[in-house]
Amino acid sequence: MWIEAKLKCEVDHTPYRVYINDELITERFYTIDPVGTASNDLLVHLKPASEYDIRIENLSNNLVTLSEYTTRERLDED
């Protein structure tokens, strides 16, 4: 199953971790780019599950939040 997630934050260079079903998926710094960036989008392929618990662990006082996410069985081909 493919999971696509969009993350939001108001502060550049904010550290955070993303967990899905209690498994650490990534640790990153949030990036604000005036021309637009995909570095705060997450695309990951996982084993199919009945549900996915996506959790953001903030590593500072600045909050990174999960804006939205979608799941699908396969990626569309461009």
Side-chain angles (χ1 to χ4, degrees):
M1 185 70 63
W2 287 95
I3 297 176
E4 292 180 276
K6 293 197 177 287
L7 307 167
K8 298 290 182 188
C9 183
E10 299 295 322
V11 181
D12 194 25
H13 207 66
T14 299
Y16 65 94
R17 293 179 181 140
V18 176
Y19 292 85
I20 300 178
N21 296 347
D22 293 325
E23 179 181 343
L24 177 62
I25 301 299
T26 190
E27 180 173 293
R28 297 182 180 177
F29 287 97
Y30 193 86
T31 303
I32 295 176
D33 183 348
V35 295
T37 182
S39 67
N40 299 302
D41 294 344
L42 176 68
L43 178 64
V44 63
H45 187 255
L46 299 173
K47 292 181 184 178
S50 58
E51 61 183 43
Y52 297 95
D53 175 37
I54 300 175
R55 182 174 57 87
I56 309 299
E57 178 185 7
N58 290 285
L59 302 175
S60 74
N61 290 331
N62 302 317
L63 294 181
V64 176
T65 59
L66 178 64
S67 172
E68 63 183 82
Y69 81 92
T70 58
T71 61
R72 55 183 153 168
E73 290 187 26
R74 61 187 208 116
L75 289 178
D76 295 334
E77 293 182 22
D78 293 332

Coordinates of all heavy atoms in Angstrom, one line a residue:
M1 N 0.8 -1.2 0.0 CA 0.0 0.0 0.0 C 0.9 1.2 0.0 O 1.9 1.3 0.7 CB -0.9 0.0 1.2 CG -1.9 1.1 1.3 SD -3.2 1.0 0.1 CE -4.0 -0.5 0.6
W2 N 0.6 2.2 -0.8 CA 1.3 3.5 -0.9 C 0.6 4.5 0.0 O -0.7 4.6 0.0 CB 1.3 4.0 -2.3 CG 2.3 3.2 -3.1 CD1 2.0 2.2 -4.0 CD2 3.7 3.4 -3.2 NE1 3.1 1.7 -4.6 CE2 4.2 2.5 -4.1 CE3 4.6 4.3 -2.6 CZ2 5.5 2.4 -4.5 CZ3 5.9 4.2 -3.0 CH2 6.4 3.2 -3.9
I3 N 1.3 5.2 0.8 CA 0.8 6.3 1.6 C 1.5 7.6 1.2 O 2.7 7.7 1.1 CB 1.1 6.0 3.1 CG1 0.3 4.8 3.5 CG2 0.6 7.2 4.0 CD1 0.6 4.3 5.0
E4 N 0.7 8.6 0.9 CA 1.1 9.9 0.6 C 0.7 10.9 1.7 O -0.5 10.9 2.0 CB 0.6 10.4 -0.7 CG 1.2 9.6 -1.9 CD 0.6 10.2 -3.2 OE1 -0.5 9.7 -3.6 OE2 1.3 11.0 -3.9
A5 N 1.6 11.6 2.3 CA 1.2 12.5 3.4 C 1.8 13.9 3.2 O 2.9 14.0 2.7 CB 1.7 12.0 4.7
K6 N 1.0 14.9 3.5 CA 1.5 16.3 3.5 C 1.6 16.8 4.9 O 0.7 16.7 5.7 CB 0.5 17.1 2.7 CG 0.5 16.8 1.2 CD -0.2 17.9 0.4 CE -0.2 17.5 -1.1 NZ 1.2 17.6 -1.7
L7 N 2.7 17.4 5.1 CA 3.0 18.0 6.5 C 3.1 19.5 6.4 O 3.5 20.0 5.4 CB 4.3 17.4 7.0 CG 4.4 15.9 6.9 CD1 5.8 15.4 7.2 CD2 3.4 15.3 8.0
K8 N 2.7 20.1 7.5 CA 2.7 21.6 7.6 C 3.4 22.1 8.8 O 3.4 21.5 9.9 CB 1.3 22.1 7.6 CG 0.5 21.8 6.4 CD 0.9 22.5 5.2 CE 0.1 22.2 4.0 NZ 0.6 22.7 2.7
C9 N 4.1 23.3 8.7 CA 4.8 23.9 9.8 C 5.0 25.4 9.4 O 5.1 25.7 8.2 CB 6.1 23.3 10.1 SG 6.9 24.0 11.5
E10 N 5.0 26.3 10.4 CA 5.2 27.7 10.1 C 6.7 28.1 10.2 O 7.0 29.2 9.9 CB 4.4 28.5 11.1 CG 2.9 28.2 11.0 CD 2.3 28.7 9.6 OE1 2.8 29.7 9.1 OE2 1.4 28.0 9.1
V11 N 7.5 27.2 10.7 CA 8.9 27.6 11.0 C 9.9 26.7 10.2 O 9.8 25.5 10.2 CB 9.2 27.4 12.5 CG1 10.6 27.8 12.8 CG2 8.2 28.2 13.3
D12 N 10.8 27.3 9.5 CA 11.8 26.6 8.7 C 12.8 25.9 9.6 O 13.0 26.3 10.8 CB 12.6 27.7 7.9 CG 13.4 27.0 6.8 OD1 13.1 25.9 6.3 OD2 14.4 27.6 6.4
H13 N 13.3 24.8 9.1 CA 14.4 24.0 9.8 C 13.9 23.4 11.2 O 14.6 23.4 12.1 CB 15.6 24.9 10.0 CG 16.9 24.0 10.1 ND1 17.3 23.3 9.0 CD2 17.7 23.8 11.1 CE1 18.4 22.7 9.3 NE2 18.7 22.9 10.6
T14 N 12.6 23.0 11.2 CA 12.1 22.4 12.4 C 12.2 20.9 12.3 O 11.8 20.2 11.4 CB 10.6 22.7 12.5 OG1 10.4 24.2 12.6 CG2 9.9 22.1 13.7
P15 N 12.9 20.2 13.3 CA 13.1 18.8 13.3 C 11.8 18.0 13.7 O 11.1 18.5 14.6 CB 14.2 18.6 14.3 CG 14.0 19.7 15.3 CD 13.5 20.8 14.5
Y16 N 11.6 16.9 13.1 CA 10.4 16.0 13.4 C 10.7 14.6 13.0 O 11.6 14.4 12.1 CB 9.2 16.6 12.8 CG 9.2 16.5 11.3 CD1 8.6 15.5 10.6 CD2 9.7 17.6 10.5 CE1 8.6 15.4 9.2 CE2 9.7 17.5 9.1 CZ 9.1 16.5 8.5 OH 9.1 16.4 7.1
R17 N 9.9 13.7 13.5 CA 9.9 12.3 13.1 C 8.5 11.9 12.7 O 7.5 12.4 13.2 CB 10.4 11.4 14.2 CG 11.8 11.6 14.6 CD 12.2 10.7 15.7 NE 13.6 10.9 16.1 CZ 14.0 10.9 17.3 NH1 13.2 10.7 18.3 NH2 15.3 11.2 17.6
V18 N 8.4 11.0 11.7 CA 7.1 10.4 11.3 C 7.1 8.9 11.6 O 8.0 8.2 11.3 CB 6.9 10.6 9.8 CG1 5.6 10.0 9.4 CG2 6.9 12.1 9.4
Y19 N 6.1 8.5 12.3 CA 5.8 7.1 12.7 C 4.5 6.7 12.0 O 3.6 7.4 12.0 CB 5.7 6.9 14.2 CG 6.9 7.1 15.0 CD1 7.3 8.4 15.4 CD2 7.7 6.1 15.3 CE1 8.4 8.6 16.1 CE2 8.9 6.3 16.1 CZ 9.2 7.6 16.5 OH 10.4 7.8 17.2
I20 N 4.6 5.5 11.5 CA 3.3 4.8 10.9 C 3.2 3.5 11.6 O 4.1 2.7 11.6 CB 3.3 4.7 9.4 CG1 3.5 6.1 8.8 CG2 2.1 4.0 8.9 CD1 3.6 6.0 7.3
N21 N 2.1 3.3 12.3 CA 1.8 2.1 13.1 C 3.0 1.8 14.0 O 3.5 0.7 14.1 CB 1.5 0.9 12.2 CG 0.2 1.1 11.4 OD1 -0.6 2.0 11.7 ND2 0.0 0.3 10.4
D22 N 3.5 2.8 14.7 CA 4.6 2.8 15.7 C 5.9 2.4 15.1 O 6.9 2.2 15.9 CB 4.2 1.8 16.8 CG 3.1 2.3 17.7 OD1 3.0 3.5 17.9 OD2 2.3 1.5 18.1
E23 N 6.1 2.5 13.8 CA 7.4 2.2 13.2 C 7.9 3.6 12.7 O 7.3 4.3 12.0 CB 7.2 1.3 12.0 CG 8.6 1.0 11.3 CD 8.4 0.1 10.1 OE1 7.4 -0.6 10.0 OE2 9.3 0.1 9.3
L24 N 9.2 3.9 13.1 CA 9.8 5.1 12.6 C 10.0 5.0 11.1 O 10.7 4.1 10.6 CB 11.2 5.3 13.3 CG 12.0 6.5 12.9 CD1 11.2 7.8 13.2 CD2 13.3 6.5 13.5
I25 N 9.5 6.0 10.4 CA 9.6 6.0 9.0 C 10.6 6.9 8.5 O 11.4 6.6 7.6 CB 8.2 6.4 8.3 CG1 7.1 5.4 8.7 CG2 8.3 6.5 6.8 CD1 7.4 4.0 8.3
T26 N 10.7 8.1 9.1 CA 11.7 9.1 8.7 C 11.9 10.1 9.8 O 11.1 10.3 10.6 CB 11.4 9.8 7.4 OG1 12.5 10.6 6.9 CG2 10.2 10.7 7.6
E27 N 13.1 10.7 9.8 CA 13.4 11.9 10.6 C 13.9 13.0 9.7 O 14.9 12.7 8.9 CB 14.5 11.5 11.7 CG 14.8 12.6 12.6 CD 15.8 12.2 13.7 OE1 15.3 11.4 14.6 OE2 16.9 12.6 13.7
R28 N 13.3 14.2 9.8 CA 13.7 15.2 8.9 C 13.7 16.6 9.6 O 13.3 16.7 10.7 CB 12.6 15.3 7.8 CG 12.5 14.1 6.9 CD 11.4 14.4 5.9 NE 11.3 13.2 5.0 CZ 10.4 13.2 4.0 NH1 9.6 14.2 3.8 NH2 10.3 12.1 3.2
F29 N 14.1 17.6 8.8 CA 14.0 19.0 9.1 C 12.9 19.6 8.2 O 13.1 19.4 7.0 CB 15.3 19.7 9.0 CG 16.2 19.4 10.1 CD1 17.2 18.5 9.9 CD2 16.2 20.1 11.4 CE1 18.1 18.2 10.9 CE2 17.0 19.8 12.4 CZ 18.0 18.8 12.2
Y30 N 12.0 20.3 8.7 CA 11.0 20.9 7.8 C 11.6 22.0 7.0 O 12.5 22.8 7.6 CB 9.8 21.5 8.7 CG 8.6 21.9 7.9 CD1 7.7 21.0 7.5 CD2 8.5 23.2 7.4 CE1 6.6 21.3 6.8 CE2 7.4 23.5 6.6 CZ 6.5 22.6 6.3 OH 5.4 22.9 5.5
T31 N 11.3 22.2 5.8 CA 11.9 23.1 4.9 C 10.8 24.1 4.3 O 9.8 23.6 3.8 CB 12.6 22.5 3.7 OG1 13.6 21.6 4.3 CG2 13.3 23.5 2.8
I32 N 11.0 25.4 4.5 CA 10.2 26.3 3.8 C 10.9 26.9 2.7 O 12.0 27.5 2.8 CB 9.8 27.5 4.8 CG1 8.9 26.9 5.9 CG2 9.0 28.6 4.1 CD1 8.5 27.9 7.0
D33 N 10.4 26.7 1.5 CA 11.0 27.2 0.2 C 10.0 28.1 -0.5 O 8.9 27.7 -0.8 CB 11.3 25.9 -0.6 CG 12.1 26.3 -1.9 OD1 12.1 27.5 -2.3 OD2 12.6 25.3 -2.5
P34 N 10.4 29.3 -0.8 CA 9.4 30.3 -1.4 C 9.0 29.9 -2.8 O 7.9 30.3 -3.2 CB 10.2 31.6 -1.4 CG 11.6 31.3 -1.2 CD 11.7 29.9 -0.5
V35 N 9.7 29.0 -3.5 CA 9.3 28.6 -4.8 C 8.5 27.3 -4.8 O 8.2 26.8 -5.8 CB 10.5 28.6 -5.8 CG1 11.1 29.9 -6.0 CG2 11.5 27.6 -5.3
G36 N 8.3 26.7 -3.6 CA 7.6 25.5 -3.5 C 8.6 24.3 -3.4 O 9.5 24.2 -4.1
T37 N 8.3 23.4 -2.5 CA 9.1 22.3 -2.2 C 8.3 21.0 -2.0 O 7.2 21.1 -1.5 CB 10.1 22.5 -1.0 OG1 10.9 21.4 -0.9 CG2 9.3 22.7 0.2
A38 N 8.9 19.9 -2.3 CA 8.2 18.6 -2.1 C 8.9 17.9 -0.9 O 8.6 16.8 -0.6 CB 8.3 17.7 -3.3
S39 N 9.9 18.6 -0.3 CA 10.6 17.9 0.8 C 9.8 17.6 2.0 O 10.2 16.8 2.9 CB 11.9 18.7 1.2 OG 11.5 19.9 1.8
N40 N 8.6 18.2 2.1 CA 7.8 18.0 3.3 C 6.6 17.1 2.9 O 5.7 17.0 3.7 CB 7.3 19.3 3.8 CG 8.5 20.2 4.3 OD1 9.2 19.7 5.1 ND2 8.7 21.3 3.7
D41 N 6.7 16.5 1.8 CA 5.7 15.5 1.4 C 6.3 14.1 1.6 O 7.5 13.9 1.4 CB 5.3 15.6 -0.1 CG 4.6 16.9 -0.4 OD1 4.1 17.5 0.6 OD2 4.5 17.3 -1.6
L42 N 5.5 13.2 2.1 CA 6.0 11.8 2.4 C 5.4 10.9 1.5 O 4.1 10.9 1.3 CB 5.8 11.5 3.9 CG 6.1 10.1 4.3 CD1 7.6 9.9 4.3 CD2 5.6 9.8 5.7
L43 N 6.1 10.0 0.8 CA 5.6 8.9 0.0 C 6.3 7.7 0.4 O 7.5 7.6 0.4 CB 5.9 9.2 -1.5 CG 5.4 8.1 -2.4 CD1 3.9 8.0 -2.4 CD2 5.9 8.5 -3.8
V44 N 5.5 6.7 0.9 CA 6.1 5.5 1.4 C 5.3 4.3 1.0 O 4.1 4.4 1.0 CB 6.3 5.6 3.0 CG1 5.0 5.7 3.7 CG2 7.1 4.4 3.5
H45 N 5.9 3.1 0.8 CA 5.2 1.9 0.5 C 5.3 1.0 1.7 O 6.4 0.7 2.1 CB 5.9 1.3 -0.8 CG 5.1 0.1 -1.3 ND1 5.6 -1.2 -1.1 CD2 4.0 0.0 -1.9 CE1 4.7 -2.0 -1.6 NE2 3.7 -1.3 -2.2
L46 N 4.2 0.5 2.1 CA 4.1 -0.4 3.3 C 3.3 -1.6 3.0 O 2.5 -1.6 2.1 CB 3.5 0.4 4.5 CG 4.3 1.6 5.0 CD1 3.5 2.3 6.1 CD2 5.6 1.2 5.6
K47 N 3.4 -2.6 3.8 CA 2.5 -3.8 3.7 C 1.1 -3.3 3.9 O 0.8 -2.5 4.8 CB 2.9 -4.8 4.7 CG 4.2 -5.5 4.5 CD 4.4 -6.5 5.6 CE 5.8 -7.2 5.4 NZ 6.1 -8.1 6.5
P48 N 0.1 -3.9 3.2 CA -1.3 -3.6 3.5 C -1.7 -3.8 4.9 O -1.3 -4.8 5.5 CB -2.1 -4.5 2.5 CG -1.1 -4.8 1.4 CD 0.3 -4.9 2.1
A49 N -2.5 -2.9 5.5 CA -3.0 -3.0 6.8 C -4.5 -2.5 6.8 O -4.9 -1.8 5.9 CB -2.2 -2.2 7.8
S50 N -5.2 -2.9 7.9 CA -6.6 -2.5 7.9 C -6.7 -1.0 8.2 O -7.7 -0.4 7.8 CB -7.4 -3.3 9.0 OG -6.7 -3.1 10.2
E51 N -5.7 -0.4 8.9 CA -5.7 1.0 9.1 C -4.2 1.4 9.3 O -3.4 0.6 9.6 CB -6.5 1.4 10.3 CG -6.2 0.8 11.6 CD -7.1 1.2 12.7 OE1 -8.3 1.2 12.5 OE2 -6.6 1.5 13.8
Y52 N -4.0 2.7 9.2 CA -2.6 3.3 9.4 C -2.7 4.4 10.4 O -3.5 5.3 10.2 CB -2.1 3.8 8.1 CG -1.9 2.7 7.1 CD1 -2.8 2.4 6.1 CD2 -0.8 1.9 7.1 CE1 -2.7 1.4 5.2 CE2 -0.6 0.9 6.1 CZ -1.6 0.6 5.2 OH -1.4 -0.4 4.3
D53 N -1.9 4.3 11.4 CA -1.8 5.3 12.5 C -0.6 6.1 12.2 O 0.5 5.7 12.4 CB -1.8 4.7 13.9 CG -1.6 5.7 14.9 OD1 -2.1 6.8 14.8 OD2 -0.8 5.4 15.9
I54 N -0.8 7.3 11.6 CA 0.4 8.2 11.3 C 0.5 9.2 12.4 O -0.4 9.9 12.8 CB 0.1 8.9 10.0 CG1 -0.1 7.9 8.8 CG2 1.3 9.8 9.6 CD1 -0.4 8.5 7.5
R55 N 1.7 9.3 13.0 CA 2.0 10.1 14.1 C 3.2 11.0 13.8 O 4.2 10.4 13.4 CB 2.2 9.3 15.4 CG 2.4 10.1 16.6 CD 2.4 9.2 17.9 NE 3.4 8.1 17.8 CZ 4.7 8.3 18.2 NH1 5.1 9.4 18.7 NH2 5.5 7.2 18.2
I56 N 3.1 12.2 14.1 CA 4.3 13.1 14.0 C 4.8 13.4 15.4 O 4.1 13.7 16.3 CB 3.9 14.5 13.4 CG1 3.1 14.4 12.1 CG2 5.1 15.4 13.2 CD1 3.8 13.7 11.0
E57 N 6.1 13.1 15.6 CA 6.8 13.5 16.8 C 7.6 14.7 16.6 O 8.5 14.8 15.8 CB 7.7 12.4 17.3 CG 8.5 12.7 18.6 CD 9.5 11.6 19.0 OE1 9.7 10.7 18.2 OE2 10.1 11.8 20.0
N58 N 7.2 15.8 17.3 CA 7.9 17.1 17.2 C 9.2 17.0 18.1 O 9.1 16.6 19.2 CB 7.0 18.2 17.6 CG 6.0 18.4 16.5 OD1 6.2 18.9 15.4 ND2 4.7 18.0 16.8
L59 N 10.3 17.5 17.5 CA 11.6 17.4 18.3 C 12.0 18.8 18.7 O 13.2 19.0 19.1 CB 12.6 16.8 17.4 CG 12.3 15.4 16.9 CD1 13.4 14.9 16.0 CD2 12.1 14.4 18.1
S60 N 11.1 19.7 18.7 CA 11.3 21.1 19.2 C 10.0 21.7 19.7 O 8.9 21.0 19.6 CB 11.9 22.0 18.1 OG 11.0 22.3 17.1
N61 N 9.9 22.9 20.0 CA 8.7 23.6 20.4 C 7.9 24.0 19.2 O 6.7 24.3 19.4 CB 9.0 24.8 21.3 CG 9.5 24.4 22.7 OD1 9.2 23.3 23.2 ND2 10.3 25.2 23.3
N62 N 8.4 23.9 18.0 CA 7.7 24.3 16.8 C 6.9 23.0 16.4 O 7.5 21.9 16.4 CB 8.7 24.7 15.7 CG 9.5 25.9 16.1 OD1 9.0 26.8 16.7 ND2 10.8 25.9 15.8
L63 N 5.7 23.2 16.0 CA 4.8 22.1 15.6 C 4.8 21.8 14.1 O 4.6 22.7 13.3 CB 3.4 22.3 16.1 CG 3.2 22.4 17.6 CD1 1.7 22.6 17.9 CD2 3.7 21.2 18.3
V64 N 5.1 20.6 13.8 CA 4.9 20.0 12.4 C 3.6 19.2 12.6 O 3.5 18.4 13.5 CB 6.1 19.2 12.0 CG1 5.7 18.6 10.6 CG2 7.3 20.0 11.9
T65 N 2.7 19.4 11.7 CA 1.4 18.7 11.7 C 1.1 18.0 10.4 O 1.6 18.3 9.4 CB 0.2 19.7 12.0 OG1 0.2 20.6 11.0 CG2 0.4 20.4 13.4
L66 N 0.3 16.9 10.6 CA -0.1 16.2 9.4 C -1.3 16.9 8.8 O -2.3 17.1 9.4 CB -0.5 14.8 9.8 CG -1.1 13.8 8.8 CD1 0.0 13.5 7.7 CD2 -1.6 12.5 9.4
S67 N -1.1 17.4 7.6 CA -2.2 18.2 6.9 C -3.2 17.3 6.3 O -4.4 17.5 6.5 CB -1.5 19.1 5.8 OG -2.5 19.7 5.1
E68 N -2.7 16.2 5.6 CA -3.6 15.3 5.0 C -2.8 14.1 4.6 O -1.6 14.1 4.5 CB -4.3 15.9 3.8 CG -3.4 16.3 2.7 CD -4.0 16.9 1.5 OE1 -4.3 18.1 1.6 OE2 -4.3 16.2 0.5
Y69 N -3.5 12.9 4.4 CA -2.9 11.8 3.8 C -3.9 10.9 3.0 O -5.1 11.0 3.3 CB -2.1 11.0 4.9 CG -3.0 10.0 5.7 CD1 -3.1 8.7 5.3 CD2 -3.6 10.4 6.8 CE1 -3.9 7.8 6.0 CE2 -4.4 9.5 7.6 CZ -4.5 8.2 7.2 OH -5.3 7.4 7.9
T70 N -3.3 10.2 2.0 CA -4.1 9.3 1.2 C -3.4 8.0 1.2 O -2.2 7.9 1.3 CB -4.4 9.9 -0.2 OG1 -3.1 10.1 -0.8 CG2 -5.2 11.2 -0.2
T71 N -4.2 6.9 0.9 CA -3.6 5.6 0.7 C -4.1 5.1 -0.7 O -5.2 5.4 -1.1 CB -4.0 4.6 1.8 OG1 -5.4 4.5 1.8 CG2 -3.5 5.1 3.1
R72 N -3.3 4.3 -1.3 CA -3.7 3.7 -2.5 C -2.9 2.4 -2.8 O -1.7 2.3 -2.3 CB -3.7 4.6 -3.7 CG -2.4 5.3 -4.0 CD -2.6 6.3 -5.1 NE -1.7 7.3 -5.0 CZ -1.4 8.2 -5.9 NH1 -2.1 8.1 -7.1 NH2 -0.6 9.1 -5.8
E73 N -3.4 1.5 -3.6 CA -2.7 0.3 -3.8 C -1.5 0.4 -4.7 O -0.6 -0.4 -4.6 CB -3.7 -0.8 -4.3 CG -4.7 -1.2 -3.2 CD -5.6 -2.3 -3.7 OE1 -5.2 -3.1 -4.6 OE2 -6.7 -2.4 -3.2
R74 N -1.6 1.3 -5.7 CA -0.5 1.5 -6.6 C -0.4 2.9 -7.0 O -1.3 3.7 -6.9 CB -0.6 0.6 -7.8 CG -1.8 0.9 -8.6 CD -2.0 -0.2 -9.8 NE -2.7 0.5 -10.8 CZ -2.2 0.7 -12.1 NH1 -1.0 0.2 -12.3 NH2 -2.9 1.3 -13.0
L75 N 0.8 3.3 -7.4 CA 1.0 4.7 -7.9 C 0.6 4.8 -9.3 O 0.7 3.9 -10.1 CB 2.5 5.0 -7.8 CG 3.1 5.2 -6.4 CD1 4.6 5.5 -6.5 CD2 2.4 6.3 -5.7
D76 N 0.0 6.0 -9.6 CA -0.3 6.2 -11.0 C 0.9 6.4 -11.8 O 1.9 7.0 -11.4 CB -1.2 7.5 -11.1 CG -2.5 7.3 -10.4 OD1 -3.0 6.2 -10.3 OD2 -3.0 8.4 -10.0
E77 N 0.9 5.9 -13.0 CA 2.1 6.1 -13.9 C 1.9 7.4 -14.7 O 0.8 7.7 -15.2 CB 2.2 4.9 -14.9 CG 2.6 3.6 -14.1 CD 2.8 2.5 -15.1 OE1 3.0 2.7 -16.2 OE2 2.6 1.3 -14.6
D78 N 2.9 8.2 -14.8 CA 2.9 9.5 -15.5 C 3.5 9.3 -16.9 O 4.2 8.5 -17.2 CB 3.7 10.5 -14.8 CG 3.0 10.9 -13.5 OD1 1.8 10.8 -13.4 OD2 3.7 11.3 -12.6

